[in-house]
Amino acid sequence: MGPLTARLLMQRGRPKSDRLGKIRSLDLSRLNLLSEHLDPKLLSRLKQLQELDLSYNLLEALPPNLGLPHLRILRCANNQLGDVTALSQFPQLEELSLEGNPFLTVNDNLKVSFLLPKLRKVNGKDASSTCTQMENLNRELTNRVTAHWEKFMAALGPGKETKKAQADFVKSAVKDVCYGPDSLREFTQWRVRMISEELVASGGTQVHEADVPKRPQETTATYKPRARLMSLKRPDDVPLNLPSTKRACNSPSAQMEGGPSGPDSSQPALQLEPLHFLQCHSRNNSPQDLKTQLWACAFEPAWEEGHSGATSQTVATCGGEAVCVIDCQTGIVLHKYKAPGEEFFSVAWTALTVVTQAGHKKRWNVLAAAGLRGLVRLLHVRAGFCCGVIRAHKKAIATLCFSPIHETHLFTASYDKRIILWDIGVPNRDYEFQASQLLTLDSTSIPLRLCPVAPCPDAYLLAGCEGGCCCWDVRLDQPQKRRVCEVEFVFSAGSQAPGRRVDGLAFVNEDVVASKGSGLGTICLWSWSQTWAGRGSQSPVAVVVLAQLQWSSTDLAYFSLSTCPEKGVVLCGDEEGSVWIYDVEHILKQPPPQLAAPQAPVQILKWPQPLALGQPVTKTMVNTVVANSALTYLTALTDSNIIAVWRRC
């Protein structure tokens, strides 16, 4: 398609007219238009245009001076837009469509809400929730920039308010004023710059803050004690409808029990405080919903590739027919994806690098979610749509995980007792995935947890199963595309059969594995290298146990442990609503010469009840707890349909 012409505009415009100034609606969709084809001189002649459709073109940007003062409806779906600031030229815009622009993120959604005060609908949905989120962020950023101004000017001293000092303030504010998750950093820096420049222009006396309406305080409902046991994810469980909002409660500091133990007893325990309690998966947004199951959560990969110490505070949770993406700092549900009729059991992140048609490299954090229906949905979270669906298994998928070294390799484990390795590939020009099956791994029992072997993740895969712990060879240079378990592990001395169910499994470092379920009341730390070196030609193989960690004496199952390798920490919830935290750094540095008594946790983080929730909850089961890589946030999922977020003080 070449440049637009007046004749084409009149052909596609409504009502039909021989004068551009009388056209009120114009359809320019599916013309393969590039940004340079939108001639401002020509389009500015559409003085009465109210509706413009630019969908299904190749636009990377909108010209900043199109001159359409009465435009109320704009459709730009399925293009390659990478910026929304040019939309500010349409102050009367009420409806906007931006679906299928995968390089637009939640930052751009917030910018749209800020730039277009009359906007009512975005992508066919009510824009009020995004507007509220933007207003909350704007209020907090305004307060922080103002406080930064006062501190900056106090340090500057009287009589030194030069233009250079003012410019330095703006740079300082953009650098130092932070709020919200990493995923919103682009928006926050954009607003901080605007606020600080406005503050400088007014001499520090005025900042126009967006009006924030007072919302009524939410009523506190009564939670009844839940006696039903947290069961295994059953394919016959009935999926539930979910709300679109969250419920949050402030709370006092969490109760701590226990203290430092072991050789590192001089180290103080972590100081953690409960930050948010969210109920964003409940049916019909009802606080009385205690049936919607929450199954898994995973922190988003850090956005700054190669940045030392970079970590994410954004976590994805799944339960019922929804996947939520939550900012742990603010408690805001950034995104929610629903699949009616589904019940999600597992989520996993990967970071992809794609190249646009213009040759630009873009980084995507893609979220995979799977569950009851045996389907894997690949979600482009920041753009807010599902990029592809893999029909992976005929039965429910219990868990999934991405390879830590091959960003497109995804393992799925199903109730059909099979694990399949997929290559999801990279999306095509329509941003769709075409997955291919690489391997099928057969198991003798249902796989519950998957764990690529840390020192050789491209060679071996560990799985905690209903019948024990198993290992498969997953090297792709081997001819067999369907393989049986290569090694089964036993945890008790003298046993000739695999152990009982293993429902917790994770590497603490390159060699040490933490597993749970082989014995009551303990978590086992064992050496992969020593165990593997002594396997010989026989299976099962006894693991080389380095230490045991004291855990709850419950005989209940399906409490998933997790690790924070950067900090040498193991975490696990229990049936009493507690989070057990173990510092195993000394074991990693120098394992004890002989197996000693189980090591106690450095602390037990108690669920802050009933004061925190304001209701007589007597028992809360924490079935999943995950920390981000810097151990600044902990996210716990409970059997009372509540997501809890703790923050390190």
Side-chain angles (χ1 to χ4, degrees), residues 142 145-146 149 169 194-209:
T142 300
V145 172
T146 303
W149 167 269
F169 164 72
M194 295 173 67
I195 295 169
S196 58
E197 288 176 347
E198 185 177 354
L199 197 60
V200 166
S202 67
T205 60
Q206 184 178 9
V207 176
H208 298 290
E209 181 184 338

CSV table of all heavy atoms in Angstrom, one decimal, residues 142 145-146 149 169 194-209:
chain,number,residue,atom,x,y,z
A,142,THR,N,3.3,11.7,43.2
A,142,THR,CA,3.3,13.1,43.5
A,142,THR,C,3.8,13.4,44.9
A,142,THR,O,4.6,14.3,45.2
A,142,THR,CB,1.9,13.7,43.4
A,142,THR,OG1,1.4,13.5,42.0
A,142,THR,CG2,1.8,15.2,43.7
A,145,VAL,N,7.6,12.7,45.0
A,145,VAL,CA,8.4,13.8,44.3
A,145,VAL,C,8.5,15.0,45.1
A,145,VAL,O,9.5,15.7,45.2
A,145,VAL,CB,7.8,14.0,42.9
A,145,VAL,CG1,8.5,15.2,42.3
A,145,VAL,CG2,8.0,12.8,42.0
A,146,THR,N,7.3,15.4,45.7
A,146,THR,CA,7.3,16.6,46.6
A,146,THR,C,8.2,16.4,47.8
A,146,THR,O,9.0,17.3,48.1
A,146,THR,CB,5.9,16.8,47.1
A,146,THR,OG1,5.0,16.9,46.0
A,146,THR,CG2,5.8,18.1,47.9
A,149,TRP,N,11.7,16.8,46.6
A,149,TRP,CA,12.0,18.3,46.3
A,149,TRP,C,12.4,18.9,47.6
A,149,TRP,O,13.4,19.7,47.7
A,149,TRP,CB,10.8,18.9,45.7
A,149,TRP,CG,10.8,20.4,45.7
A,149,TRP,CD1,10.4,21.3,46.7
A,149,TRP,CD2,11.4,21.3,44.7
A,149,TRP,NE1,10.6,22.6,46.3
A,149,TRP,CE2,11.2,22.6,45.1
A,149,TRP,CE3,12.0,21.0,43.5
A,149,TRP,CZ2,11.6,23.7,44.3
A,149,TRP,CZ3,12.4,22.1,42.7
A,149,TRP,CH2,12.2,23.4,43.1
A,169,PHE,N,17.7,18.4,39.8
A,169,PHE,CA,16.6,17.9,40.6
A,169,PHE,C,15.8,16.9,39.8
A,169,PHE,O,15.4,15.9,40.2
A,169,PHE,CB,15.7,19.0,41.2
A,169,PHE,CG,14.4,18.5,41.6
A,169,PHE,CD1,14.3,17.8,42.8
A,169,PHE,CD2,13.3,18.7,40.9
A,169,PHE,CE1,13.1,17.3,43.2
A,169,PHE,CE2,12.0,18.3,41.3
A,169,PHE,CZ,11.9,17.5,42.5
A,194,MET,N,7.5,14.3,34.5
A,194,MET,CA,6.5,15.3,34.3
A,194,MET,C,6.2,16.0,35.6
A,194,MET,O,6.1,17.3,35.6
A,194,MET,CB,5.2,14.6,33.8
A,194,MET,CG,5.3,14.0,32.4
A,194,MET,SD,3.9,13.1,31.9
A,194,MET,CE,2.7,14.4,31.7
A,195,ILE,N,6.0,15.3,36.7
A,195,ILE,CA,5.7,15.9,38.0
A,195,ILE,C,6.8,16.8,38.5
A,195,ILE,O,6.6,18.0,38.9
A,195,ILE,CB,5.4,14.9,39.1
A,195,ILE,CG1,4.1,14.1,38.7
A,195,ILE,CG2,5.2,15.5,40.5
A,195,ILE,CD1,3.9,12.8,39.5
A,196,SER,N,8.1,16.3,38.4
A,196,SER,CA,9.2,17.1,38.8
A,196,SER,C,9.4,18.4,38.0
A,196,SER,O,9.8,19.5,38.5
A,196,SER,CB,10.5,16.3,38.8
A,196,SER,OG,10.8,15.7,37.5
A,197,GLU,N,9.2,18.3,36.7
A,197,GLU,CA,9.3,19.5,35.8
A,197,GLU,C,8.2,20.5,36.1
A,197,GLU,O,8.5,21.7,36.1
A,197,GLU,CB,9.2,19.1,34.3
A,197,GLU,CG,10.5,18.3,33.8
A,197,GLU,CD,10.3,17.8,32.4
A,197,GLU,OE1,9.2,17.8,31.9
A,197,GLU,OE2,11.4,17.4,31.8
A,198,GLU,N,7.0,20.0,36.4
A,198,GLU,CA,5.9,20.9,36.8
A,198,GLU,C,6.3,21.6,38.2
A,198,GLU,O,6.0,22.8,38.4
A,198,GLU,CB,4.6,20.1,36.9
A,198,GLU,CG,3.4,21.0,37.2
A,198,GLU,CD,2.1,20.2,37.2
A,198,GLU,OE1,2.2,19.0,36.9
A,198,GLU,OE2,1.1,20.8,37.6
A,199,LEU,N,6.9,20.8,39.1
A,199,LEU,CA,7.2,21.3,40.4
A,199,LEU,C,8.3,22.4,40.2
A,199,LEU,O,8.2,23.5,40.9
A,199,LEU,CB,7.7,20.2,41.3
A,199,LEU,CG,7.8,20.4,42.8
A,199,LEU,CD1,6.4,20.8,43.3
A,199,LEU,CD2,8.4,19.2,43.5
A,200,VAL,N,9.3,22.2,39.4
A,200,VAL,CA,10.3,23.2,39.1
A,200,VAL,C,9.7,24.4,38.5
A,200,VAL,O,10.1,25.6,38.9
A,200,VAL,CB,11.4,22.6,38.2
A,200,VAL,CG1,12.3,23.7,37.7
A,200,VAL,CG2,12.2,21.5,38.9
A,201,ALA,N,8.8,24.3,37.5
A,201,ALA,CA,8.2,25.4,36.9
A,201,ALA,C,7.4,26.3,37.8
A,201,ALA,O,7.4,27.5,37.7
A,201,ALA,CB,7.3,24.9,35.7
A,202,SER,N,6.8,25.7,38.9
A,202,SER,CA,6.1,26.4,39.8
A,202,SER,C,6.9,26.9,41.0
A,202,SER,O,6.3,27.5,42.0
A,202,SER,CB,4.9,25.6,40.3
A,202,SER,OG,5.3,24.5,41.1
A,203,GLY,N,8.2,26.6,41.0
A,203,GLY,CA,9.0,27.0,42.1
A,203,GLY,C,8.8,26.2,43.4
A,203,GLY,O,9.1,26.6,44.5
A,204,GLY,N,8.2,25.0,43.2
A,204,GLY,CA,8.0,24.1,44.3
A,204,GLY,C,6.7,24.4,45.1
A,204,GLY,O,6.5,23.9,46.2
A,205,THR,N,5.8,25.2,44.5
A,205,THR,CA,4.6,25.6,45.2
A,205,THR,C,3.4,24.8,44.7
A,205,THR,O,2.4,24.8,45.4
A,205,THR,CB,4.4,27.1,45.0
A,205,THR,OG1,4.2,27.4,43.6
A,205,THR,CG2,5.5,27.9,45.6
A,206,GLN,N,3.4,24.2,43.6
A,206,GLN,CA,2.2,23.6,43.0
A,206,GLN,C,2.5,22.4,42.2
A,206,GLN,O,3.4,22.4,41.3
A,206,GLN,CB,1.4,24.6,42.2
A,206,GLN,CG,0.1,24.1,41.7
A,206,GLN,CD,-0.7,25.2,40.9
A,206,GLN,OE1,-0.1,26.3,40.7
A,206,GLN,NE2,-1.9,25.0,40.6
A,207,VAL,N,1.7,21.3,42.4
A,207,VAL,CA,1.7,20.1,41.6
A,207,VAL,C,0.3,19.7,41.4
A,207,VAL,O,-0.4,19.5,42.3
A,207,VAL,CB,2.5,19.0,42.2
A,207,VAL,CG1,2.4,17.7,41.3
A,207,VAL,CG2,4.0,19.4,42.4
A,208,HIS,N,-0.1,19.6,40.1
A,208,HIS,CA,-1.5,19.2,39.8
A,208,HIS,C,-1.6,17.7,39.9
A,208,HIS,O,-1.2,17.0,39.0
A,208,HIS,CB,-1.9,19.8,38.5
A,208,HIS,CG,-1.9,21.2,38.4
A,208,HIS,ND1,-2.8,22.0,39.0
A,208,HIS,CD2,-1.0,22.1,37.7
A,208,HIS,CE1,-2.5,23.3,38.8
A,208,HIS,NE2,-1.4,23.4,38.0
A,209,GLU,N,-2.3,17.3,40.9
A,209,GLU,CA,-2.4,15.8,41.1
A,209,GLU,C,-3.8,15.4,40.5
A,209,GLU,O,-4.8,16.1,40.6
A,209,GLU,CB,-2.4,15.5,42.6
A,209,GLU,CG,-2.5,14.0,42.9
A,209,GLU,CD,-2.6,13.7,44.4
A,209,GLU,OE1,-2.1,14.6,45.1
A,209,GLU,OE2,-3.1,12.7,44.8
